[in-house]
Amino acid sequence: MFDNEIHLSFMSKSQNEGFARMVASSFVSQLDPTIEELSDIRTAVSEAVTNAVIHGYDNKNGTIYMDCYCEGKTVTITIRDDGNGIDDVELAMQPFYTSKPNLDRSGMGFSVMEAFMDKISVESEPNVGTTVTMVKTIDSSGAYVKEKQDE
Amino acid sequence: MKIIGTAEGKKLYVHLIGELDHHSAKKTRDDIDRLLMNSYITELTIDMKDVSFMDSSGLGVILGRYKILAERKGSVRICGANRSVDKILRMSGIYSLVERS
C-alpha cells in the first residue's frame, strides 16, 4: 500500500509533455524535494513522455498513462504507452543512439532518465507497448530546512 | 518558446525565452535555421538565461545547429544557462563541442 498515488491518462500530443511533467512535479512536492530534485524528476518525466509521443505512437494519436506513487520518501513514476514497442531495449538505451537520426534527436533520452533518477527500468514488447518505471528517493534535507524555519 | 535573433556581420545572437522541450523544439530549430540562412554567419551565440526548462530535445536542437556551423568552420557558444539547464548540458558532454560562457 502506498502513502499516496495518482493515475493520469492523456493524449499523445507534444503539448501534453509540459502538462505531464508539471503534474509529476506537483505530486512530488509533497515530499519536500530540493529544487534540483524537482527539476531532475521534471526532466526525466519529460524524456519518457516525449519517447512515448515520438517513438511509441510515431506522433500519431494514442493514450499515454502516467502513474505516480510515493512511499516514505521514495517516489515511483511509470509512463506507459500501448504503441510500437522497442525491438532492442538495450540498443535504445545506449547514449547517443537514436532510431530517428533525421529528426535532430540527441539520442540522450534514456541516459538523462538514468542520470537524473536513482533507478529506471524499461519493459517493452513490439506492437504492444512500452512501460518505463523510474524511482527516486528524495533526500530529506529539503524537509529539514523547512522544519528549521517552522521552529 | 519565443526566439529573438540579432545578426551583426558574421555573428548571430539568439535569445531563447521559455521551455525548450520536444514540443517547442521544431519552432526553435526552424526559427534559428531561418536566421542562419545567411551563409556568412559563422558565430552563433545561444543565450539561455530565460530558458526555464530544457530536456534532451534541447540538446538535439543545439547539436543540430552545431553541425550547421561546423560545416561552415564556425562555432557555437552557449551562455546564461541556469543550474538545471547547465546540468543536462554538462552530462551530455556537449561542452566539448560548444563553448560555454
Side-chain angles (χ1 to χ4, degrees):
Chain A
M1 194 60 194
F2 296 98
D3 297 337
N4 197 4
E5 55 186 81
I6 58 166
H7 307 278
L8 185 73
S9 61
F10 49 91
M11 269 178 92
S12 58
K13 290 197 171 287
S14 66
Q15 295 92 307
N16 289 335
E17 293 156 6
F19 169 72
R21 60 180 183 258
M22 207 178 72
V23 170
S25 123
S26 300
F27 179 77
V28 174
S29 293
Q30 64 191 298
L31 301 179
D32 281 323
T34 61
I35 291 166
E36 188 173 359
E37 287 165 336
L38 214 48
S39 148
D40 289 353
I41 290 166
R42 242 196 321 261
T43 310
V45 166
S46 194
E47 300 294 351
V49 173
T50 299
N51 276 352
V53 172
I54 300 178
H55 302 287
Y57 292 117
D58 276 329
N59 290 304
K60 297 185 187 86
N61 285 347
T63 306
I64 299 171
Y65 304 88
M66 180 170 82
D67 305 299
C68 306
Y69 307 88
C70 69
E71 196 178 6
K73 296 296 269 181
T74 300
V75 60
T76 303
I77 299 172
T78 69
I79 312 281
R80 179 169 67 87
D81 68 67
D82 302 325
N84 296 325
I86 304 167
D87 290 327
D88 186 340
V89 172
E90 209 178 313
L91 177 66
M93 291 180 79
Q94 297 273 327
F96 304 112
Y97 172 80
T98 174
S99 59
K100 298 193 187 324
N102 52 325
L103 283 188
D104 245 359
R105 307 292 312 162
S106 67
M108 289 296 285
F110 279 122
S111 304
V112 169
M113 288 181 241
E114 283 179 323
F116 287 17
M117 301 295 277
D118 295 341
K119 202 168 85 182
I120 90 156
S121 64
V122 182
E123 263 177 74
S124 191
E125 203 185 321
N127 303 316
V128 175
T130 301
T131 304
V132 176
T133 305
M134 309 186 278
V135 181
K136 191 178 182 76
T137 299
I138 300 301
D139 187 343
S140 55
S141 57
Y144 176 70
V145 172
K146 192 164 177 278
E147 277 165 23
K148 288 288 269 190
Q149 282 168 349
D150 289 346
E151 278 173 14
Chain B
M1 175 63 75
K2 194 173 165 189
I3 294 124
I4 302 167
T6 317
E8 201 187 325
K10 61 178 185 178
K11 294 180 182 173
L12 174 66
Y13 167 88
V14 176
H15 181 191
L16 304 182
I17 304 162
E19 299 192 315
L20 183 48
D21 63 358
H22 165 238
H23 180 60
S24 61
K26 191 182 179 302
K27 177 183 160 39
T28 307
R29 191 167 52 229
D30 292 351
D31 284 4
I32 296 176
D33 287 357
R34 207 170 301 121
L35 296 163
L36 282 174
M37 271 180 3
N38 295 328
S39 56
Y40 51 79
I41 291 172
T42 53
E43 290 177 30
L44 169 66
T45 301
I46 304 173
D47 188 341
M48 306 199 73
K49 67 171 178 284
D50 294 309
V51 174
S52 53
F53 174 86
M54 187 180 93
D55 61 16
S56 74
S57 300
L59 295 174
V61 171
I62 297 169
L63 277 172
R65 294 333 105 219
Y66 166 78
K67 283 179 197 157
I68 295 172
L69 272 296
E71 266 173 33
R72 297 178 189 176
K73 309 246 178 293
S75 62
V76 178
R77 203 163 61 92
I78 295 173
C79 65
N82 73 23
R83 225 171 120 177
S84 63
V85 172
D86 187 59
K87 184 174 178 178
I88 190 165
L89 289 168
R90 268 187 288 123
M91 76 137 292
S92 71
I94 208 168
Y95 284 133
S96 61
L97 301 173
V98 306
E99 224 180 292
R100 167 206 210 172
S101 60

